[in-house]
Amino acid sequence: MNPIYRKLNERFPERGAPTKQSFQTEARALSQWIAQLPLGNAMAAARPLLAAVNEINTLKIDGYQRLTALEMLRGPIQQMITQADRQVVGSSFPLPSAKYQLGLQSRDFHAALALGYTMAAYEICGPEGKVPFLKGKPVAMALGRAISHWSEQLLRGYLLYASPQSGVWKSMHDLIRFAQLVQLGDKEYDDPLLGKATVSPELCYKQALLFAISNPYRLSQRDMLDAFDACRVWAQQAVLRPGGGGEFALPLEEDRGPGYLPEERQAGAGALLSFGTEGAVAYLERELSMAASAGTPVSFKLRNGNPITLGQDLIRRAMYCWKPVFDRMHQRLAAGHELDTLIGLTALHYHLANKTDFESFVRDIRGPGISMSERDRSTTWTNSTASLDSSKPVATRARVLDQGLGGYRLEWSSVSGAKARIGELIGLSILGENDEDEDRDWMVGSIRWIRFDADGRVEAGIELLAREAVPAAVRPADQNGVFKTPMRAIELAPMRRDDAAVTIVAPSIGDKAYSRIEFSKPAVLFSEHHGKTRVQTDVEVLENTGAYLRLAPKDAPSHTA
């Protein structure tokens, strides 16, 4: 028996012969069972569907019969997953328990299907691992379906910002190795869930690789779904090469992918297989150049498949991550020390303002004539004496895994209670002799990606925005030119000495809301920061993360180092 073929059954469960009480996998009986499912009620239909696939995976049945049964169940299961996605995608984190369980259920569906299709391919090619005469297409389909569902299983984990489960990447590596061994890697077959498009085992595998090196942990859930589908099209232009001649080495004997971050990636020496994105990059650059002048989204589709449309910014963000281990703007240095962190504009502003609530802060710099909104009154800490201490923002300690000139990779322990999301503002402070000192210096960064481990630890990539910051208040003008109530803002000093322009971060309430603003900040002792209020009418929006806006007032005074 071929050792690569033998690897396919390393994770198979114990199987027994079907009995009268077993789930019926014969096509007619299964069709009747599916017809009786309340597919319009996902809560009622999902549980028996998952139980059915799991039971089929424990039965000793013919490989073709298994393949047929899974094909019949695949469509109804996809309906359950689509309904679950509607509830999970777009939710705030941490997810409520009910939504989190829906996400886990979708992941379990794909894992069960991937295992079942692997078993079907193994059984059809048994006992020696040889493809029967004229049966290449069903074997290729079983192998490709298994890879595709493992890839979808990873996606459902990404949607929860969870690390990959044990065994998933190794299973995908084993499947593609066997597909190539029996010369079925590029064998095409239809996928009804993709319209009339045809795919192959290698295309499904390359899609998973391309999406992984796009670092899904830095994307919103909606962007993940769109980019995942687009990667299926882009993967047609990527290549798999024997050995380590490509940009990304694939550790086929290990249970991991090509690396979500550059520091997780390996050089190609000694690799059994490698992955190259040169063709995909050239293809996307051509598409982007044609769409650049219009600034419109770009559409992609497989031949005879359904189109997927992405914004140009999302495409470029994905491509930005396609860097092998040796290609990074800033060298990363191993660390291990700890930093105090503050997550969110509200918490950071409070500490930058020497632990002053926002209402008092505005009164100090503008006087009592400025009225506060109820929203800001509700987040001050002067309204409830009983909960004065418990309601104040408290710094959370994080460990620095590595660092560079551009930022940090942090890890919060499972007991820290850290609640973070992509695009959120974060304050960073070095631990000192007196961590309660009100005059602590806080650097400002943005959370660019996030990942939750199974044990509850939170890992995040932080881009450093400023090493110096000043608390401020901003009042955007309405359509009539009347300034609204003040909102928290932070002025960021430039990162480079040759950059004289300051920027401002403020709540994300729409790009056009800040076209005309009144900006106020306090004087800072022993520094060049002078307290003043100014009206600015030429404001450029540099970034909108959904959690904050980063603004560049073009008529702002220069920063003095």
Side-chain angles (χ1 to χ4, degrees):
M1 184 186 296
N2 187 287
I4 296 179
Y5 170 69
R6 188 170 59 245
K7 285 178 180 292
L8 296 182
N9 77 348
E10 289 180 350
R11 298 173 183 84
F12 289 179
E14 290 292 329
R15 285 162 291 162
T19 66
K20 291 183 179 180
Q21 288 73 39
S22 299
F23 186 82
Q24 297 299 304
T25 58
E26 187 270 331
R28 183 176 179 181
L30 181 54
S31 178
Q32 292 175 348
W33 183 84
I34 293 173
Q36 296 173 0
L37 286 173
L39 295 178
N41 185 343
M43 292 185 64
R47 186 171 297 177
L49 272 169
L50 184 57
V53 181
N54 285 332
E55 184 173 349
I56 291 173
N57 289 345
T58 65
L59 299 178
K60 269 187 181 178
I61 56 177
D62 175 74
Y64 295 106
Q65 184 178 357
R66 187 185 305 278
L67 183 59
T68 300
L70 293 172
E71 287 293 288
M72 294 177 68
L73 290 167
R74 188 168 178 253
I77 287 174
Q78 184 59 42
Q79 287 183 241
M80 301 300 101
I81 293 171
T82 300
Q83 291 185 51
D85 284 347
R86 292 194 188 104
Q87 297 191 52
V88 173
V89 173
S91 301
S92 59
F93 276 76
L95 286 174
S97 178
K99 292 187 176 183
Y100 184 73
Q101 291 304 317
L102 278 177
L104 294 181
Q105 179 180 265
S106 296
R107 191 171 67 173
D108 291 344
F109 266 128
H110 284 297
L113 286 171
L115 178 60
Y117 279 111
T118 304
M119 295 169 70
Y122 183 86
E123 290 157 349
I124 294 173
C125 294
E128 298 297 327
K130 297 180 180 179
V131 179
F133 184 61
L134 296 180
K135 297 300 181 182
K137 191 168 184 178
V139 173
M141 184 177 73
L143 293 169
R145 292 272 200 270
I147 294 172
S148 177
H149 283 291
W150 280 130
S151 182
E152 292 269 5
Q153 195 266 7
L154 286 172
L155 172 62
R156 265 61 206 181
Y158 301 149
L159 290 172
L160 301 175
Y161 297 98
S163 298
Q165 286 189 299
S166 174
V168 176
W169 277 110
K170 184 62 167 61
S171 296
M172 296 175 70
H173 297 329
D174 293 342
L175 286 160
I176 197 62
R177 292 180 72 183
F178 181 69
Q180 292 181 332
L181 175 71
V182 295
Q183 299 182 359
L184 293 176
D186 58 355
K187 182 73 172 179
E188 292 188 336
Y189 53 88
D190 297 334
D191 190 337
L193 299 185
L194 301 177
K196 298 180 179 180
T198 56
V199 293
S200 68
E202 284 190 359
L203 182 66
C204 296
Y205 184 66
K206 290 189 293 184
Q207 177 194 13
L209 298 175
L210 197 58
F211 191 58
I213 64 173
S214 301
N215 191 3
Y217 296 107
R218 73 196 302 269
L219 301 176
S220 70
Q221 292 174 310
R222 173 53 58 191
D223 285 347
M224 280 190 210
L225 292 177
D226 291 343
F228 181 80
D229 288 339
C231 281
R232 186 184 294 111
V233 183
W234 303 344
Q236 297 175 110
Q237 312 299 325
V239 294
L240 292 173
R241 297 189 180 98
E247 300 164 271
F248 301 93
L250 302 176
L252 299 184
E253 296 293 345
E254 301 177 37
D255 184 26
R256 61 185 185 85
Y260 298 100
L261 307 172
E263 51 267 29
E264 295 176 347
R265 297 166 188 167
Q266 292 182 335
L272 296 173
L273 195 66
S274 57
F275 179 59
T277 61
E278 307 98 322
V281 170
Y283 163 71
L284 289 175
E285 289 291 359
R286 288 195 302 270
E287 294 293 320
L288 287 168
S289 65
M290 289 188 290
S293 58
T296 56
V298 185
S299 292
F300 306 92
K301 62 177 292 187
L302 293 173
R303 181 168 50 88
N304 299 325
N306 301 320
I308 176 70
T309 302
L310 275 72
Q312 296 184 35
D313 176 65
L314 175 57
I315 298 169
R316 293 199 178 279
R317 280 190 288 141
M319 294 172 63
Y320 175 80
C321 297
W322 300 352
K323 297 179 180 180
V325 64
F326 51 82
D327 183 14
R328 182 144 187 166
M329 186 181 299
H330 302 302
Q331 183 180 2
R332 308 296 293 181
L333 302 175
H337 60 285
E338 293 184 325
L339 293 175
D340 273 344
T341 63
L342 296 166
I343 299 174
L345 176 60
T346 297
L348 182 54
H349 190 283
Y350 173 72
H351 280 262
L352 285 172
N354 295 330
K355 299 183 179 179
T356 303
D357 66 82
F358 189 57
E359 184 174 5
S360 300
F361 173 81
V362 172
R363 189 183 302 114
D364 289 344
I365 62 173
R366 296 299 310 276
I370 299 296
S371 61
M372 299 290 294
S373 68
E374 289 302 317
R375 176 175 175 272
D376 280 314
R377 285 182 181 277
S378 67
T379 54
T380 61
W381 295 276
T382 58
N383 297 330
S384 176
T385 306
S387 59
L388 183 62
D389 293 329
S390 61
S391 62
K392 292 180 179 179
V394 177
T396 304
R397 195 146 296 179
R399 185 166 67 95
V400 181
L401 300 178
D402 60 51
Q403 64 187 71
L405 292 177
Y408 298 86
R409 185 159 64 103
L410 302 181
E411 179 186 81
W412 289 275
S413 69
S414 58
V415 299
S416 67
K419 296 181 180 180
R421 61 171 176 157
I422 294 172
E424 187 62 271
L425 209 63
I426 184 170
L428 308 165
S429 183
I430 298 172
L431 306 186
E433 294 183 1
N434 184 6
D435 295 338
E436 299 300 320
D437 188 353
E438 292 185 353
D439 295 325
R440 294 179 69 182
D441 293 326
W442 290 93
M443 299 178 287
V444 179
S446 180
I447 300 176
R448 296 308 188 192
W449 59 265
I450 196 165
R451 185 164 60 193
F452 296 88
D453 288 338
D455 60 2
R457 291 179 300 178
V458 182
E459 186 179 341
I462 310 300
E463 179 188 357
L464 199 58
L465 301 180
R467 292 186 175 86
E468 296 179 51
V470 178
V474 63
R475 293 207 299 164
D478 61 20
Q479 295 179 347
N480 298 319
V482 178
F483 290 112
K484 303 177 183 178
T485 55
M487 295 185 297
R488 293 173 181 81
I490 296 174
E491 185 181 73
L492 307 179
M495 290 280 288
R496 300 190 309 271
R497 290 183 178 274
D498 59 348
D499 185 359
V502 298
T503 57
I504 299 167
V505 290
S508 180
I509 58 171
D511 293 6
K512 296 181 180 180
Y514 292 99
S515 57
R516 184 170 184 263
I517 63 172
E518 181 190 80
F519 179 78
S520 304
K521 67 175 183 178
V524 180
L525 294 177
F526 311 113
S527 80
E528 298 294 333
H529 296 291
H530 302 291
K532 64 181 301 183
T533 296
R534 60 179 183 267
V535 174
Q536 295 171 256
T537 57
D538 191 2
V539 181
E540 178 185 1
V541 177
L542 300 179
E543 180 182 27
N544 185 352
T545 70
Y548 68 85
L549 282 170
R550 188 150 62 104
L551 312 171
K554 296 181 179 179
D555 53 349
S558 300
H559 173 77
T560 305

